């Protein structure tokens, strides 16, 4: 989740580019359970400041949009291990980066409606995973595809 201030940097006949500055939150939680033996949990919560660019290029009723951001902040890791009569827990906070990129292709329908298909990539550095050792860190990334209908008034 993020909240941004958006400022127009350039606006021409077919192209618009905006600068972004704001706050980003990201979370990665993993659980591992072994029947009868217990389980492990790793929860990572990222909080940071974010900067980026958003642009849109259009020809006729078709358009291509892209957004790229990089957030710099702290990831708070909370890990716990529950075994046979044993509970261990650890908390950790460290510097991390969360980059994200979105690309959309769409078509306008009238003055107020647009349909689009999009692709999104996001990553998070220095994540504690359930399978990592006590001092190990991993990089987590996720990808997604979206279909949507946008209504503007």
């Amino acid at each position: 989740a993020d909240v941004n201030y958006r400022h127009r940097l350039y606006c021409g006949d077919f192209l618009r580019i905006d600068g972004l500055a704001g706050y980003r939150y990201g979370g990665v939680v993993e659980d591992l359970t072994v029947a009868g033996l217990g389980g492990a949990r790793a929860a990572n919560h990222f909080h940071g400041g974010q900067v980026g660019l958003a642009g849109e290029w259009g020809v006729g009723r078709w358009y291509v949009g892209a957004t790229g951001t990089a957030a710099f902040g702290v990831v708070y890791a909370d890990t716990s291990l529950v075994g046979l009569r044993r509970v261990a827990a650890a908390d950790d906070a460290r510097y991390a980066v969360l980059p994200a990129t979105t690309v959309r292709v769409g078509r306008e329908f009238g003055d107020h409606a647009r349909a689009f298909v999009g692709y999104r990539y996001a990553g998070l550095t220095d994540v504690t995973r359930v399978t990592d050792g006590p001092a190990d860190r991993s990089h987590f990334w996720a990808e997604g595809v979206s279909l949507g209908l946008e209504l503007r008034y």
Side-chain angles (χ1 to χ4, degrees):
D2 62 345
V3 175
N4 289 302
Y5 168 74
R6 188 174 189 134
H7 181 76
R8 182 174 49 226
L9 300 175
Y10 175 81
C11 187
D13 291 338
F14 305 104
L15 177 66
R16 177 184 172 133
I17 299 175
D18 295 336
L20 306 171
Y23 164 80
R24 165 144 334 242
Y25 167 80
V28 177
V29 178
E30 288 185 316
D31 290 304
L32 174 66
T33 303
V34 179
L37 296 177
R41 178 182 182 90
N44 297 270
H45 302 282
F46 174 86
H47 299 273
Q50 168 173 276
V51 294
L53 292 173
E56 189 171 288
W57 175 73
V59 175
R61 294 219 171 256
W62 292 92
Y63 71 94
V64 175
T67 303
T69 59
F72 306 92
V74 176
V75 64
Y76 298 94
D78 179 16
T79 57
S80 59
L81 176 63
V82 179
L84 296 174
R85 295 189 208 124
R86 182 174 157 242
V87 176
D91 293 324
D92 189 18
R94 63 199 165 281
Y95 174 78
V97 178
L98 196 159
T101 303
T102 303
V103 178
R104 296 185 347 174
V105 176
R107 186 173 192 289
E108 296 178 348
F109 297 97
D111 293 334
H112 303 291
R114 305 195 314 176
F116 64 88
V117 60
Y119 166 79
R120 179 164 178 84
Y121 164 84
L124 180 58
T125 63
D126 292 321
V127 172
T128 300
R129 308 289 298 263
V130 171
T131 56
D132 289 343
D136 295 337
R137 302 288 184 263
S138 299
H139 297 298
F140 177 84
W141 56 272
E143 298 175 282
V145 175
S146 61
L147 296 170
L149 178 63
E150 182 178 319
L151 301 174
R152 292 183 178 190
Y153 289 98

